[in-house]
Amino acid sequence: MVLQDLGRRINAAVSDLTRSANLDEKAFDDMIKEICSALLSADVNVKLVGQLRKSIRAQVSFKDLPTHTNKKRIIQKAVFDQLVALVDPHAEPFKPRKGKPNVIMFVGLQGAGKTTTCTKLARHYQTRGFKACLVCADTFRAGAFDQLKQNATRAKIPFYGNLTQTDPAVVALEGVTRFKKERFEIIIVDTSGRHRQEADLFNEMVQIQKAVQPDQTIMVLDATIGQQAEAQSKAFKETADFGSIIITKTDGSASGGGAISAVAATHTPIVFIGTGEHMLDLEKFQPRTFISRLLGMGDMAGLVEH
Amino acid sequence: ISGLFRNVVGGKVLTEEDLEKAMKGMEEHLLNKNVAREAAVHLCDSVKLELVGVKTGSFESIDAAIRQAMTSALAKILTPTSTLDLLRSISAANEPSALSRSKSRPYVISIVGVNGVGKSTNLSKLAFFLLQNDLSILIAACDTFRSGAVEQLRVHARNLAELSSREGRGSVELFEKGYGKDAAHIARDAVAYAASKNINVVLIDTAGRRHNDTRLMSNLDNFAELAQPDKIFMVGEALVGSDSVAQARNFNAAFKGKRTLDGFIISKCDTVGDMVGSLVSMVYATRIPVVFLGVGQHYGDLRGLSVEHTVKLLMQ
Ligand SMILES: Nc1nc2c(ncn2[C@@H]2O[C@H](COP(=O)(O)OP(=O)(O)OP(=O)(O)O)[C@@H](O)[C@H]2O)c(=O)[nH]1
Ligand SMILES: Nc1nc2c(ncn2[C@@H]2O[C@H](COP(=O)(O)OP(=O)(O)OP(=O)(O)O)[C@@H](O)[C@H]2O)c(=O)[nH]1
Ligand SMILES: [Mg+2]
Ligand SMILES: [Mg+2]
């Protein structure tokens, strides 16, 4: 599961240090070293790890600590703070409003899990009393129409797609217009996978966005992504200005450091995580609770609020 | 002069200490290229071991010596020990020599991998390549789980059939039994059907599976048993980070020692620029060679591996 291993290693490094008899600067440096290699093994962006190393050093400032202070607590808090900073961009995620149409557009790299997650999210809102529906604006990928349609049917969610129209912006607009007329509250638009290296594909994303004017664009990121996460998510951010991130496939064994780096690179919050291939495999994401649970630091969240 | 020659250690015998710091830089370089840390550390250690006690050339810096050694280490790990001549193997199965006394049969390739990496798309590219070589193909839709998986292949089969009939080369057909059925049995039936129709190659698509899902992974063994594929190719993604190591290892071990994977298809190489490190990680983890690269979303976007070019990308 995402970040679990990382959490375990960081946890061990911190408690090794705080339990050791002589809590000196060398031991502190060793701890930082261990934390950094754990982060690098978890695909956290190489540059980001460098920054984090500096921040922990600066926050603790080991040399200047008076001898009697509770070093253990200060070090724990510094590590916790820096990890939270990594996944918590302090931006409020989008909240749909009842009684009006909320258009949500999905974007992301090929195979990230957009189509699967669209239905999960529609269903999430549906069970919370929203009138939800799905629009297939992927006119490129073979079988994309049937994939979304079959999922929508299974979840009993109305679906719009058009097998003869090849322009995704046109289909998207057709679907959104129709569902707005029918007073749907959550209108989710699925789009094809794309990447920054292909300008035409990014252009197409802009066209769809112009056509449907989404209230929220969500970037879907695969938890296994490595060092390309930063460049790709930055490019998507610059072009589509997405307002939230969903990380998928967190049920795999990937540490998720790449996806986490995308959060840091784009200052955009993770709102949900995908935990499996089935419709119900979606969880809300709260950075603080997540990190403290991860580090087994039940009391840390409280400590940080002060 | 001193500025110009600062890094030059002509004719110096390299010590572990000399190498330590420079190797850290090399390790970071590889991590930046998306080589998994485990693989990067391994490569750096082997280069260090090789260089300790070596005398550098008369105007060679430590960095240059390390670059040189890393370049050959990468080339070595990526170069397959045996060459795969797919077309020849196919014809050997289809038209066995009289000496071998085996019966003519279809050649069977199956494609495995984790979710969403590009299995079905690269299977279709492989079909396109084989059609260009005048072969008849049966595509077996053995992903009976994911919504739209069957329709996806139906569209590809239809497109490919149109292309091949237009060019008058090869032929392609889809074998499908809808959703929910046991994939291994469909695969076996597809092979039997291909044999009865004298079809040259069967390409079996499978559902994406998490490599840490023991139930789904153990199905692979049964699948290989029933379908008896000549080749099992795993699709791995260029985008994936250090999970590549565990992905490759677990798929390679899924056949309980009875067989291994036969090669990797590394997909989405067009999405990573020069960060092609996952290629190295997967080969490092298994010593299974990379046989194809996926470089785009169209049928023609399949390439053989150029070790030289890949190493150049990794070292630049
Ligand atoms: N294990 C697991 N698999 C997932 C999850 N989310 C999606 N998948 C699988 O990932 C694969 C790709 O998902 P899709 O929804 O088709 O991805 P996409 O982003 O729409 O792909 P394109 O439209 O081709 O770009 C499918 O096999 C899904 O079942 C998840 O949270 N966990
Ligand atoms: N850019 C790029 N995209 C690719 C490449 N290969 C596949 N894709 C895209 O990746 C996405 C997923 O491809 P699929 O072939 O459906 O992947 P899969 O592994 O069969 O997925 P599941 O069956 O759901 O596990 C599609 O949008 C493909 O077009 C490639 O080499 N480059
Ligand atoms: Mg999709
Ligand atoms: Mg597939």
Side-chain angles (χ1 to χ4, degrees):
Chain A
M1 167 80 177
V2 150
L3 294 182
Q4 216 118 71
D5 260 355
L6 177 64
R8 214 172 294 129
R9 273 182 76 176
I10 291 179
N11 222 358
V14 176
S15 43
D16 272 1
L17 172 71
T18 50
R19 245 190 278 113
S20 71
N22 49 336
L23 216 168
D24 57 3
E25 189 157 7
K26 164 144 192 332
F28 178 61
D29 276 346
D30 286 347
M31 177 205 72
I32 293 186
K33 220 185 244 165
E34 167 61 14
I35 289 178
C36 289
S37 43
L39 290 165
L40 288 171
S41 305
D43 297 321
V44 176
N45 183 271
V46 178
K47 263 184 298 182
L48 215 56
V49 175
Q51 282 163 21
L52 198 117
R53 177 190 298 137
K54 280 198 204 107
S55 308
I56 295 180
R57 278 232 173 80
Q59 195 181 336
V60 173
S61 176
F62 199 91
K63 274 198 286 295
D64 309 329
L65 286 182
T67 36
H68 321 292
T69 45
N70 189 343
K71 288 185 187 145
K72 174 180 165 170
R73 211 170 145 87
I74 290 175
I75 291 169
Q76 268 189 340
K77 182 175 179 317
V79 173
F80 178 81
D81 280 356
Q82 293 312 317
L83 288 176
V84 169
L86 210 60
V87 290
D88 185 3
H90 295 287
E92 265 308 300
F94 166 78
K95 283 208 185 65
R97 284 193 290 160
K98 285 223 167 116
K100 73 178 262 298
N102 299 274
V103 178
I104 301 174
M105 173 173 157
F106 272 50
V107 300
L109 291 159
Q110 290 90 350
K114 295 176 293 300
T115 306
T116 310
T117 312
C118 272
T119 315
K120 291 183 184 177
L121 191 66
R123 207 206 136 275
H124 169 91
Y125 285 123
Q126 194 181 45
T127 54
R128 278 155 190 79
F130 287 90
K131 209 177 154 194
C133 62
L134 290 159
V135 176
C136 171
D138 180 353
T139 55
F140 174 76
R141 168 160 160 195
F145 175 98
D146 296 280
Q147 185 185 3
L148 188 61
K149 188 173 176 185
Q150 287 169 16
N151 283 347
T153 308
R154 203 173 302 148
K156 301 197 172 59
I157 293 169
F159 160 88
Y160 182 85
N162 182 339
L163 275 174
T164 51
Q165 176 56 255
T166 53
D167 183 343
V170 173
V171 187
L173 183 59
E174 282 171 6
V176 169
T177 310
R178 181 173 128 193
F179 284 130
K180 273 186 172 170
K181 223 176 270 162
E182 295 173 12
R183 301 198 170 279
F184 275 87
E185 295 166 302
I186 299 283
I187 306 172
I188 297 181
V189 181
D190 184 25
T191 66
S192 8
R194 59 196 84 242
H195 54 292
R196 69 187 172 97
Q197 287 86 351
E198 221 171 298
D200 284 353
L201 293 182
F202 262 45
N203 214 348
E204 180 190 280
M205 172 168 68
V206 173
Q207 297 311 318
I208 302 172
Q209 213 173 26
K210 270 197 186 138
V212 302
Q213 300 280 330
D215 300 280
Q216 175 77 166
T217 302
I218 297 181
M219 175 156 190
V220 175
L221 266 165
D222 186 325
T224 65
I225 194 169
Q227 294 291 327
Q228 259 297 304
E230 195 195 18
Q232 291 289 355
S233 62
K234 265 190 172 156
F236 272 90
K237 182 79 179 180
E238 277 157 24
T239 312
D241 193 27
F242 57 88
S244 26
I245 291 175
I246 296 180
I247 298 186
T248 59
K249 310 184 195 174
T250 64
D251 49 325
S253 69
S255 296
I260 296 295
S261 306
V263 175
T266 62
H267 306 289
T268 309
I270 303 170
V271 285
F272 289 96
I273 58 174
T275 57
E277 296 193 69
H278 295 280
M279 203 126 52
L280 297 175
D281 298 332
L282 187 73
E283 282 176 22
K284 270 208 154 141
F285 182 82
Q286 257 127 16
R288 267 150 202 275
T289 349
F290 178 74
I291 296 282
S292 48
R293 209 178 359 156
L294 188 73
L295 298 185
M297 292 169 160
D299 58 327
M300 289 308 286
L303 182 84
V304 174
E305 303 303 343
H306 301 159
Chain B
I1 278 187
S2 71
L4 190 63
F5 279 34
R6 197 183 303 136
N7 203 9
V8 172
V9 205
K12 184 183 185 322
V13 176
L14 295 170
T15 66
E16 190 141 359
E17 228 168 26
D18 294 332
L19 288 163
E20 199 65 49
K21 199 151 180 224
M23 284 319 295
K24 265 270 139 320
M26 180 51 79
E27 185 186 317
E28 196 155 294
H29 173 82
L30 293 178
L31 293 178
N32 258 318
K33 296 283 179 174
N34 202 32
V35 177
R37 185 158 181 278
E38 186 186 328
V41 167
H42 168 85
L43 280 161
C44 287
D45 283 351
S46 71
V47 163
K48 199 160 82 185
L49 203 67
E50 185 190 317
L51 287 181
V52 170
V54 166
K55 201 168 167 189
T56 56
S58 39
F59 284 101
E60 195 187 26
S61 65
I62 298 183
D63 281 353
I66 289 176
R67 281 188 65 85
Q68 174 85 53
M70 186 54 81
T71 304
S72 16
L74 286 168
K76 189 168 157 216
I77 198 170
L78 290 177
T79 306
T81 46
S82 63
T83 52
L84 167 75
D85 189 338
L86 205 51
L87 296 174
R88 187 179 306 167
S89 319
I90 291 170
S91 94
N94 295 163
E95 293 149 29
S97 68
L99 282 173
S100 77
R101 288 220 197 118
S102 35
K103 270 197 352 213
S104 165
R105 60 176 185 85
Y107 192 78
V108 181
I109 301 175
S110 61
I111 306 284
V112 300
V114 302
N115 301 93
V117 287
K119 293 177 294 300
S120 311
T121 307
N122 285 288
L123 176 141
S124 310
K125 296 179 197 171
L126 201 51
F128 178 72
F129 163 73
L130 298 172
L131 286 171
Q132 297 281 304
N133 285 281
D134 244 334
L135 294 163
S136 56
I137 315 289
L138 184 70
I139 295 179
C142 295
D143 178 352
T144 60
F145 173 74
R146 206 210 70 214
S147 309
V150 176
E151 287 79 3
Q152 182 180 12
L153 287 180
R154 191 178 296 143
V155 171
H156 284 311
R158 194 178 58 216
N159 292 347
L160 290 166
E162 199 174 297
L163 280 171
S164 76
S165 78
R166 198 184 307 153
E167 294 178 18
R169 284 195 209 179
S171 68
V172 57
E173 212 180 305
L174 180 70
F175 188 92
E176 59 119 327
K177 293 282 174 246
Y179 294 94
K181 308 244 169 49
D182 180 55
H185 286 94
I186 301 179
R188 187 194 55 193
D189 294 349
V191 175
Y193 173 83
S196 74
K197 298 266 173 167
N198 288 321
I199 291 174
N200 298 127
V201 184
V202 185
L203 296 176
I204 307 177
D205 190 28
T206 63
R209 66 196 79 222
R210 257 187 310 127
H211 62 89
N212 58 339
D213 181 324
T214 42
R215 189 182 58 85
L216 289 180
M217 290 305 284
S218 72
N219 287 349
L220 278 178
D221 181 41
N222 185 238
F223 172 84
E225 212 54 30
L226 285 189
Q228 292 288 328
D230 292 274
K231 293 279 183 258
I232 301 178
F233 294 147
M234 174 176 177
V235 177
E237 220 185 51
L239 282 165
V240 70
S242 45
D243 200 40
S244 48
V245 171
Q247 284 182 13
R249 272 193 193 132
N250 290 348
F251 272 88
N252 198 35
F255 310 99
K256 315 223 160 90
K258 281 172 256 168
R259 62 180 297 164
T260 62
L261 296 170
D262 299 290
F264 294 115
I265 300 177
I266 307 294
S267 67
K268 309 186 193 177
C269 290
D270 52 322
T271 69
V272 297
D274 59 13
M275 291 186 184
V276 291
S278 76
L279 231 119
V280 178
S281 309
M282 296 189 99
V283 176
Y284 152 79
T286 56
R287 305 293 148 162
I288 303 291
V290 171
V291 288
F292 291 109
L293 304 180
V295 296
Q297 298 183 263
H298 299 279
Y299 296 125
D301 295 329
L302 192 69
R303 301 276 180 282
L305 171 74
S306 157
V307 173
E308 195 188 349
H309 179 66
T310 307
V311 173
K312 208 153 102 200
L313 286 178
L314 287 166
M315 292 307 295
Q316 85 192 7

